[in-house]
């Protein structure tokens, strides 16, 4: 009798947890849902981190590492949709963060910069072909420019938070000025604590006593910093097209497989 009661109790507890505590991923692929802005943190004159609430404090967005969402708004009589990569991942519950650079002439980025706390955005996803699998590659080289840091940061944070993940990461991150470097304190903190993650910053206009690199990402810099191309090395690119196109070309000379016009999961060179 006692074993049966215990078994019934176990089933009841399991059902309780599934029905009342297990939250489903919130994101829907083919339906725009509204999420309210709950916090705005300005990072520079033209960029900030925007935090949006999920319906319940235990909810997760449900975004695979390395993928992005679509944001839609009705602007000047037209439906405009743009892509954004949250800097938070599903280890964060109850909200998601977007790091957005606003362009004065930009449709969605300007729309978001003008939101007040409590205003909502329309979000759909996940989108994208990249799939991050821990330890699938021994080395990942990353080249980012400006807001192109967002997918890289998402992957770096996932590696840093997973003690089982031994992937060696080398990030080359180019910007115009020191003030333009997004997420620098967060990146520096991760680098300090994780010997497998390295970052080399490059600036067009460096301040005095700048210890990082200067100028564009050249073939020489790629040769010096990127991991050696082997079957277990991947190269991720995100930034202005002139930057990603020139890195794609140089990488072939370093032994990486030629990048496809549109990147697919498992490509050795993946452009976000
Ligand atoms: C997969 C993916 C992920 C992305 N993730 C992010 C992210 O996390 N954060 C983020 O801020 N952006 C991200 N972007 C870029 C974003 O999707 C928009 O392109 C950007 O916010 C501009 O959109 P907009 O509607 O404001 O401007 P638009 O209406 O598209 O453009 C208006 C004006 O802005 C200028 N402009 C637009 N984009 C750029 C640019 N990249 N560089 C210089 N000038 C530009 C145009 O020349 C034009 O004058 C991502 C893009 C992709 C494809
Ligand atoms: C984006 O904004 C510009 C002007 O700022 C406008 O010319 C353009 O048509 C807009 N794009 C869309 C898709 O509405
Ligand atoms: C894992 O790596 C192999 C190459 O070693 C590649 O063929 C495969 O597509 C990769 N998988 C993912 C999910 O990246
Ligand atoms: C040195 C370098 O790579 N500078 C880049 C800084 O970021 C801007 C915006 O993405 C790029 O256009 C520059 O090339
Ligand atoms: C790998 C490593 O150095 N991990 C350390 C990161 O920092 C925390 C405390 O902030 C330590 O507990 C870890 O050992």
């Amino acid at each position: 009798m006692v074993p049966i009661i215990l078994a019934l109790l176990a089933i009841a507890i399991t059902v309780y947890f599934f029905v009342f505590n297990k939250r489903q991923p919130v994101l829907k692929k083919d339906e725009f849902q509204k999420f309210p802005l709950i916090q705005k943190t300005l990072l520079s004159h033209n960029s900030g981190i925007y935090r949006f609430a999920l319906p319940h404090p235990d909810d997760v967005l449900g975004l695979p590492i390395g993928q992005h969402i679509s944001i839609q708004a009705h602007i000047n009589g037209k439906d405009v949709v743009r892509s954004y990569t949250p800097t938070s991942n599903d280890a964060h519950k109850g909200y998601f963060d977007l790091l957005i650079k606003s362009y004065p002439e930009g449709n969605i980025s300007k729309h978001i910069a003008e939101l007040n706390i409590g205003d909502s955005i329309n979000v759909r996803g996940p989108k994208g072909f990249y799939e991050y699998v821990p330890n699938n590659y021994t080395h990942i080289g990353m080249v980012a420019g400006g807001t192109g840091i967002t997918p890289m940061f998402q992957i770096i944070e996932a590696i840093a938070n997973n003690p089982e993940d031994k992937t060696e990461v080398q990030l080359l991150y180019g910007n115009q000025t020191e003030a333009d470097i997004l997420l620098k304190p967060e990146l520096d903190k991760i680098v300090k604590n994780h010997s497998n993650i390295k970052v080399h910053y490059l600036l067009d206009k460096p301040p005095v006593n700048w210890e990082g690199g200067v100028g564009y990402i050249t073939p020489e810099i790629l040769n010096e910093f990127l991991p050696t191309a082997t079957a277990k090395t991947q190269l991720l690119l995100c930034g202005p097209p002139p930057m990603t196109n020139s890195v794609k070309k140089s990488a072939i000379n370093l032994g990486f497989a030629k990048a496809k016009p549109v990147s697919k999961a498992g490509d050795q060179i993946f452009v976000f």
Side-chain angles (χ1 to χ4, degrees):
M1 197 59 195
V2 170
I4 293 173
I5 291 173
L6 284 181
L8 288 176
L9 199 64
I11 291 169
I13 290 172
T14 312
V15 168
Y16 175 84
F17 268 87
F18 263 91
V19 174
F20 295 103
N21 283 331
K22 178 111 197 283
R23 306 294 304 181
Q24 299 294 317
V26 168
L27 218 44
K28 291 193 183 129
K29 261 207 159 92
D30 33 41
E31 185 190 321
F32 280 105
Q33 300 180 88
K34 288 191 184 303
F35 299 101
L37 180 70
I38 52 169
Q39 191 183 311
K40 222 191 230 192
T41 312
L42 294 182
L43 297 178
S44 69
H45 67 285
N46 62 6
S47 63
I49 294 180
Y50 301 84
R51 177 164 293 182
F52 295 91
L54 298 173
H56 188 279
D58 287 336
D59 281 341
V60 296
L61 186 59
L63 188 75
I65 301 294
Q67 299 201 359
H68 55 272
I69 57 174
S70 297
I71 297 184
Q72 178 224 44
H74 202 68
I75 298 168
N76 295 330
K78 273 184 256 165
D79 275 334
V80 186
V81 178
R82 298 282 182 268
S83 304
Y84 295 91
T85 313
T87 51
S88 53
N89 58 39
D90 284 353
H92 302 252
K93 289 192 165 58
Y95 66 85
F96 63 95
D97 286 337
L98 298 177
L99 192 171
I100 296 181
K101 178 172 172 188
S102 319
Y103 298 95
E105 306 283 306
N107 290 283
I108 296 290
S109 66
K110 184 160 163 273
H111 170 74
I112 291 175
E114 289 170 351
L115 292 179
N116 294 310
I117 301 293
D119 292 347
S120 290
I121 52 164
N122 297 326
V123 174
R124 184 173 72 180
K127 291 256 178 182
F129 299 113
Y130 188 74
E131 195 187 327
Y132 181 73
V133 174
N135 296 314
N136 192 48
Y137 295 97
T138 58
H139 295 77
I140 297 183
M142 300 178 171
V143 183
T147 54
I149 192 63
T150 53
M152 311 301 182
F153 183 76
Q154 208 194 47
I155 295 164
I156 287 175
E157 203 191 25
I159 295 173
N161 289 342
N162 179 1
E164 310 283 295
D165 194 338
K166 309 292 182 206
T167 311
E168 302 264 341
V169 175
Q170 171 72 63
L171 166 67
L172 294 173
Y173 184 16
N175 281 284
Q176 269 147 22
T177 69
E178 192 173 19
D180 294 324
I181 307 177
L182 302 168
L183 298 169
K184 189 168 189 291
E186 290 81 0
L187 286 165
D188 289 346
K189 195 173 151 205
I190 291 173
V191 166
K192 228 179 180 170
N193 207 320
H194 296 83
S195 56
N196 57 327
I197 298 170
K198 296 188 175 66
V199 180
H200 184 68
Y201 300 102
L202 288 130
L203 293 178
D204 296 332
K205 301 178 197 116
V208 282
N209 299 328
W210 171 247
E211 289 182 352
V214 175
Y216 289 111
I217 293 167
T218 60
E220 291 71 32
I221 287 171
L222 294 174
N223 190 28
E224 182 180 349
F225 288 95
L226 285 188
T228 309
T230 72
K232 287 277 161 201
T233 311
Q234 193 179 37
L235 183 56
L236 306 179
L237 312 178
C238 192
M243 187 202 88
T244 54
N245 288 334
S246 94
V247 174
K248 276 200 265 187
K249 279 196 204 108
S250 316
I252 295 171
N253 298 329
L254 297 176
F256 288 91
K258 190 171 186 287
K260 299 184 187 128
V262 175
S263 299
K264 289 277 180 307
D267 284 0
Q268 192 178 26
I269 299 184
F270 190 98
V271 186
F272 286 97

